[in-house]
Amino acid sequence: MNSDTTLGRLKRVELRDIWLSEAVDFTPWLAREDNLALLGETLGIDLELEAQEKPVGPFRADILCKDVGTDSWVLVENQLERTDHCHLGQLLTYASGLEAVTIVWIAARFTEEHRSTLDWLNKITDGSFRFFGLEVELWRIGDSPAAPKFNIVSKPNNWSKSVAHAARAIDEAELSDTRRVQLEYWTNLHTVLNQKKGRITGSRKPQAQSWMGYSIGRTGFHLGAVMIRPKRQIRVELYISGDQAKVLLAQLQEQADAIHQDLGYSLVWEELPDRRDARVAIYLQDLDPEDEGDWPRQHDWLADKLNDMHRAFSGRVRALASGG
């Protein structure tokens, strides 16, 4: 490196210098798609916004999202100050109200007692609940715009343990625009599946969610079609859940060459190291799942790949030895 090269210096920026109010400034900023994507990258979760300031019991949740991969609730509560008992009480109320949920508590600073409380909650609760604590910082170099940084201070010991689908605490009669599009998207896919007359049919009831699952004949395995709007992609996957998922994935991966030859294309083998589960997937990139004009192409691709994956994996999955 040239010794004359001038490097900038990171300078910490006070949160209140950028966001004067949690409700008016910080929450709307965080709810933007690109900022939720940044938060999701930190957590290892694909997030999709459902609502802001949504009533849950006696309180109003700052941000309510869905985990795209599991369709479970993710509730985000934020503070521009250090953590306090009031917000901790709200989080516990939200957890009881939603029954199955990931709680994300964002604050300028976590006290040791509140960090320890989240660690304890993660220890004593089952897979229906996950608690994250994140500190948010702002930094800039010289006169550059302030850049956010999320630091995880508390997370579940095995945060990817199987999460039961969230209780439908939000009134499903009032579908958001996003959920209406999702419902129509899968309805159209099921029409295409029925037209193709393959092993995967459109007999399942379409759901207003970001994914649809289909049986492959063995507990702990299912085929899935997933739309990931923030990443502009869709995927078809063989999803493996449970304590033996990594071992079972490894057994299948020993047959990868034969599977790829059967399919005529390669798959992505994803161990998901931060989760208990695993998957094998193929992606279609650079598209907009909300572009109805492109739906015929997307649905034709999804239908073909679902039937391909069923053909390639159904017998192999049933023949697997126990992963114990």
Side-chain angles (χ1 to χ4, degrees), residues 234 236 282-284 297-305:
I234 55 177
V236 170
I282 183 169
Y283 293 80
L284 187 61
R297 178 179 74 101
Q298 294 180 30
H299 291 150
D300 189 65
W301 183 89
L302 287 168
D304 285 345
K305 297 303 182 285

Side-chain angles (χ1 to χ4, degrees), residues 33-53:
E33 189 170 292
D34 54 340
N35 298 322
L36 275 183
L38 175 62
L39 176 61
E41 288 175 8
T42 304
L43 299 172
I45 301 174
D46 292 325
L47 298 174
E48 189 165 81
L49 180 67
E50 284 287 328
Q52 295 182 58
E53 300 294 330

Side-chain angles (χ1 to χ4, degrees), residues 46-286:
D46 292 325
L47 298 174
E48 189 165 81
L49 180 67
E50 284 287 328
Q52 295 182 58
E53 300 294 330
K54 183 72 177 182
V56 180
F59 303 113
R60 298 181 71 85
D62 288 338
I63 296 175
L64 196 60
C65 298
K66 279 297 184 70
D67 178 340
V68 172
T70 64
D71 197 47
S72 58
W73 294 118
V74 178
L75 188 146
V76 181
E77 185 71 10
N78 54 66
Q79 296 181 251
L80 291 176
E81 308 293 342
R82 72 176 184 176
T83 54
D84 56 42
H85 291 336
C86 177
H87 281 80
L88 176 60
Q90 289 178 215
L91 296 177
L92 295 177
T93 300
Y94 297 149
S96 65
L98 291 175
E99 297 183 3
V101 67
T102 296
I103 297 286
V104 181
W105 189 4
I106 301 175
R109 184 171 69 83
F110 267 75
T111 66
E112 181 58 29
E113 60 184 324
H114 292 139
R115 185 196 62 76
S116 297
T117 298
L118 292 190
D119 290 343
W120 176 74
L121 286 168
N122 281 318
K123 182 177 180 180
I124 67 168
T125 54
D126 62 19
S128 297
F129 300 94
R130 303 184 293 186
F131 296 87
F132 286 89
L134 279 75
E135 291 182 341
V136 59
E137 302 173 348
L138 289 173
W139 295 86
R140 65 162 43 109
I141 300 175
D143 295 327
S144 71
K149 184 175 186 294
F150 294 109
N151 302 310
I152 296 179
V153 299
S154 179
K155 64 179 181 180
N157 294 331
N158 180 13
W159 73 259
S160 59
K161 47 193 175 178
S162 180
V163 180
H165 290 325
R168 297 294 184 184
I170 296 179
D171 184 4
E172 290 192 345
E174 299 179 2
L175 291 178
S176 66
D177 289 341
T178 295
R179 289 164 68 81
R180 288 192 189 95
V181 169
Q182 291 168 344
L183 183 61
E184 189 174 351
Y185 189 89
W186 302 126
T187 299
N188 279 263
L189 171 62
H190 286 184
T191 298
V192 175
L193 284 169
N194 287 331
Q195 290 171 349
K196 288 183 177 288
K197 301 184 185 301
R199 293 299 301 272
I200 303 296
T201 70
S203 58
R204 285 207 58 201
K205 180 181 178 182
Q207 301 293 322
Q209 59 193 34
S210 58
W211 67 283
M212 286 294 299
Y214 307 90
S215 173
I216 197 170
R218 179 168 174 171
T219 302
F221 294 79
H222 73 262
L223 292 175
V226 185
M227 54 190 294
I228 312 167
R229 195 168 50 86
K231 294 186 176 182
R232 295 181 57 81
Q233 62 185 207
I234 55 177
R235 74 169 176 254
V236 170
E237 63 187 12
L238 173 71
Y239 200 84
I240 312 171
S241 58
D243 293 334
Q244 300 178 346
K246 311 295 189 191
V247 176
L248 293 168
L249 176 75
Q251 290 182 26
L252 282 173
Q253 197 162 7
E254 292 175 357
Q255 307 174 57
D257 289 344
I259 291 170
H260 293 167
Q261 186 173 357
D262 287 351
L263 290 170
Y265 50 81
S266 297
L267 301 171
V268 182
W269 299 77
E270 301 182 56
E271 191 177 70
L272 305 179
D274 294 328
R275 307 188 188 183
R276 187 179 65 167
D277 300 344
R279 68 170 167 246
V280 188
I282 183 169
Y283 293 80
L284 187 61
Q285 309 277 7
D286 299 322

